[in-house]
Amino acid sequence: MTTESDSRGVALVDVVDDEPSRVLIVDDNPVNRRLLRAMLAREGYEIDEADSGEAALSCVVDVSPDLVLLDVVMPDVDGFDVCSQLKAEPLTADFPVIFLSALTDAADKVRGLNLGAVDWITKPFHQAEVLARVRNQLQIRHLTRSLRSANADLLHKQDSLREDLAAAADIQRSLIPRSAPVTHPVEVAWRFTPCESVGGDIFNVLPLDENTLSAFIIDVSGHGVPAAMVTVSVMQSLSQHAGVVMRPPKNGDITPPAKVLELLDREYPFDRFDRYFTICYTLLDSKTGELTYSSAAHPEPLLVRADGSLERLEKGGTIIGLGHVVPFEQGHAVLGKGDRVFLYTDGIIETENLQGEMYGCERLETLLQEVAGDALQDACEAVMEAVAAWSGGAPANDDITLLAYQFNGEDADSESAGA
Amino acid sequence: MDITRRDEVTVFHLREPRLDACASGDFKDQLIEWVDEGNRRLVLDMSEVDFVDSSGLGAMVSVLKRVGLDGDMVICGVCEPVMRMFRLARMDKIFSLVTSQDDALVAIKS
């Protein structure tokens, strides 16, 4: 379909409606046919005639009538047979049929209507009654057709919207890392599942220099396209050369996490997009294991030590976009070999079970401690499985993102090279 | 949401259990309309609210900003799960939080 016909879909239907309606008269009595033809032609309808049931069945597809006026009592194939054959055949089932008959028994009328006829006119007929009933049925027919055409048009538009969304989802996915950075003795794993095609969650893992790995996770309020567009904008701001994570003039000074959040808070006042976001931003020195971080009202990242003990990383401030109402605090920790940090969005802890109870922080913390000895990828998978099991298979109503990294220490490279 | 006037103070009693992305738009519009009509001393009774997300918090902050320095907004009846969210977002440092409506009426600036 061309764009032009797209935008004028409804108008096209009106054009179709302006064409004269075709009425097929089926009657073995030539006087009746002549009478009906004269009457209906005066109203501007186009008339076709068939003098028997067989003739009607053989011409009906070519004629493609908007209405069939069908006599019941005819030799050989009678009106009831014609009607049931029309209704049985998909090509002709849509043609509305009005019976026109001298039969006055209620049982005959019921039989005719049960066969799929839309009306019944008793002979001898009154001209005004025939015209009124014909007009009614043609009107219904045209309304049905406009509706069907509008519906097809809508379905077509919906398809193209769906394609656009799928393309948007691809674009959003292209923003997150394709594979974990390999230059660092830091192992990274993630799970990213928007609840619609696109969502308000995004994350990135980005080496800023040879020793510093930045990792952050963002949750924009709301879901769908508007939230996703904001994630694209924020990702842009947090790219290496946008002047936030590395400070000009010489792109070499790495911005401390609390300062990054302060800059974002200034750049994204909530009335700019009428959206808020929460973020957790971390910097890891891959030589020393030193971690600095700050969160803007984001669920606290969890530090799981190699021995299975757990610490909440609690430092931070409020939602991005409120205009520096409270300063962002910055936290600090030192990772030892095998220690892990988990960043996640609230979709995980706010997943409800069938009783409406949320999965919650405590369950997540317990689980992460239980799987502390498993590979990082497996630990992430365990979380996703636990959340899916908690929801009892109900579709998620929030985006779910989990980003984890494990510090393997300075000698990790040589170890893995030797393995 | 029930709205009552007590002396010069307007009390908003939230009746919906969730102040989330779905509910926060209406909530914000209604309160801001009220503030713009000159009612700058508000009490927000949240005793029936058990869930607030970032959209809800954002809406509350918008209202607080609209109230301005010459007005006051006091929030009462915040349950523990919502309080946890408030602490996470440092809202406990921005909002005046008290236990009951009566406390709120005492606490509110005249």
Side-chain angles (χ1 to χ4, degrees):
Chain A
M1 219 189 272
T2 66
T3 318
E4 193 184 34
S5 67
D6 269 353
S7 59
R8 299 187 314 159
V10 175
L12 284 178
V13 174
D14 291 342
V15 173
V16 171
D17 275 2
D18 284 345
E19 286 172 7
S21 300
R22 291 184 88 105
V23 179
L24 174 62
I25 299 167
V26 187
D27 200 314
D28 58 335
N29 180 335
V31 178
N32 279 344
R33 292 204 303 273
R34 212 175 309 135
L35 206 64
L36 286 166
R37 171 190 277 278
M39 190 166 105
L40 294 169
R42 257 202 311 276
E43 294 295 308
Y45 300 129
E46 247 176 56
I47 308 300
D48 292 276
E49 292 178 28
D51 58 6
S52 68
E54 293 98 323
L57 288 170
S58 64
C59 77
V60 72
V61 172
D62 288 337
V63 171
S64 186
D66 296 301
L67 183 67
V68 182
L69 286 179
L70 185 55
D71 185 23
V72 176
V73 181
M74 292 184 289
D76 300 324
V77 184
D78 71 8
F80 290 141
D81 288 337
V82 172
C83 185
S84 55
Q85 286 191 48
L86 288 178
K87 296 299 158 191
E89 170 64 45
L91 261 180
T92 58
D94 277 352
F95 301 147
V97 173
I98 297 181
F99 279 117
L100 236 145
S101 173
L103 301 175
T104 52
D105 198 2
D108 288 317
K109 295 182 184 175
V110 169
R111 183 181 168 202
L113 295 172
N114 280 343
L115 285 173
V118 291
D119 207 349
W120 183 287
I121 300 172
T122 309
K123 287 195 234 178
F125 47 74
H126 299 284
Q127 187 166 328
E129 183 192 350
V130 172
L131 287 176
R133 290 186 189 270
V134 165
R135 207 176 294 129
N136 276 347
Q137 290 309 327
L138 288 172
Q139 210 158 25
I140 292 171
R141 162 94 167 154
H142 286 148
L143 287 174
T144 311
R145 283 169 78 176
S146 326
L147 210 69
R148 210 171 285 164
S149 159
N151 223 349
D153 205 36
L154 276 177
L155 280 176
H156 174 74
K157 282 182 178 150
Q158 200 182 11
D159 275 349
S160 80
L161 271 178
R162 200 175 297 132
E163 282 165 25
D164 288 355
L165 263 183
D170 283 345
I171 292 169
Q172 192 176 41
R173 281 191 177 273
S174 77
L175 296 176
I176 68 172
R178 233 171 275 253
S179 57
V182 288
T183 49
H184 284 262
V186 178
E187 195 181 333
V188 185
W190 60 76
R191 295 292 182 276
F192 177 67
T193 52
C195 69
E196 292 164 29
S197 313
V198 294
D201 283 6
I202 202 82
F203 72 93
N204 206 359
V205 183
L206 196 67
L208 295 183
D209 65 18
E210 55 181 12
N211 291 328
T212 313
L213 187 69
S214 77
F216 59 84
I217 188 166
I218 294 166
D219 183 357
V220 179
S221 62
H223 327 288
V225 173
M229 298 299 286
V230 176
T231 67
V232 174
S233 171
V234 179
M235 281 296 265
Q236 179 67 27
S237 296
L238 289 175
S239 66
Q240 259 155 311
H241 305 292
V244 174
V245 298
M246 309 276 275
R247 264 184 297 186
K250 54 176 181 110
N251 273 352
D253 295 336
I254 293 171
T255 317
K259 182 73 184 170
V260 168
L261 302 196
E262 196 189 311
L263 293 170
L264 288 177
D265 187 49
R266 221 174 283 161
E267 194 175 334
Y268 292 92
F270 70 98
D271 43 8
R272 180 170 168 200
F273 295 117
D274 207 20
R275 286 277 182 286
Y276 314 88
F277 63 92
T278 67
I279 175 172
C280 175
Y281 187 87
T282 70
L283 287 179
L284 178 66
D285 186 319
S286 58
K287 263 202 157 69
T288 63
E290 271 182 272
L291 175 77
T292 48
Y293 70 91
S294 186
S295 293
H298 199 85
E300 293 144 357
L302 301 172
L303 166 55
V304 183
R305 299 285 185 188
D307 65 3
S309 62
L310 183 141
E311 296 159 34
R312 290 185 184 174
L313 304 177
E314 294 179 326
K315 298 288 183 193
T318 192
I319 302 168
I320 298 292
L322 299 188
H324 208 64
V325 280
V326 281
F328 294 101
E329 316 148 342
Q330 184 165 295
H332 181 259
V334 179
L335 303 194
K337 204 174 162 189
D339 291 353
R340 298 167 167 180
V341 175
F342 290 87
L343 313 181
Y344 61 96
T345 53
D346 55 11
I348 289 184
I349 50 175
E350 286 169 9
T351 292
E352 291 180 354
N353 66 8
L354 298 173
Q355 288 74 46
E357 189 188 349
M358 291 185 185
Y359 183 67
C361 273
E362 289 75 12
R363 280 188 194 83
L364 177 63
E365 290 172 5
T366 309
L367 175 64
L368 289 178
Q369 289 182 283
E370 281 168 9
V371 297
D374 299 355
L376 192 66
Q377 285 287 353
D378 297 342
C380 290
E381 198 48 43
V383 172
M384 300 308 281
E385 281 170 10
V387 170
W390 184 258
S391 73
N397 53 15
D398 197 1
D399 309 321
I400 288 179
T401 306
L402 176 66
L403 169 60
Y405 53 86
Q406 177 173 316
F407 179 63
N408 286 330
E410 228 185 319
D411 48 356
D413 275 343
S414 53
E415 263 178 30
S416 59
Chain B
M1 188 157 50
D2 293 343
I3 304 170
T4 47
R5 297 272 297 171
R6 287 176 66 171
D7 303 323
E8 292 296 296
V9 179
T10 315
V11 179
F12 296 86
H13 194 152
L14 278 69
R15 297 294 187 183
E16 294 292 323
R18 296 171 70 93
L19 187 56
D20 56 12
C22 293
S24 58
D26 276 352
F27 165 84
K28 184 172 125 181
D29 292 346
Q30 233 181 316
L31 265 77
I32 283 190
E33 193 185 326
W34 208 266
V35 173
D36 287 350
E37 283 168 9
N39 305 285
R40 294 180 181 280
R41 297 175 64 215
L42 317 179
V43 168
L44 216 55
D45 186 336
M46 297 185 69
S47 52
E48 283 170 49
V49 178
D50 56 26
F51 179 78
V52 177
D53 72 357
S54 60
S55 324
L57 288 182
M60 291 172 68
V61 172
S62 303
V63 174
L64 182 67
K65 287 189 168 178
R66 197 67 152 231
V67 162
L69 292 174
D70 52 337
D72 196 13
M73 178 162 103
V74 177
I75 297 164
C76 66
V78 179
C79 70
E80 185 45 37
V82 173
M83 198 54 150
R84 204 187 292 180
M85 177 69 184
F86 279 13
R87 278 194 290 266
L88 183 69
R90 276 49 176 189
M91 290 295 146
D92 51 339
K93 295 180 181 160
I94 304 172
F95 295 135
S96 319
L97 298 162
V98 297
T99 314
S100 67
Q101 254 192 53
D102 289 337
D103 292 349
L105 290 165
V106 173
I108 198 158
K109 257 187 347 206
S110 49

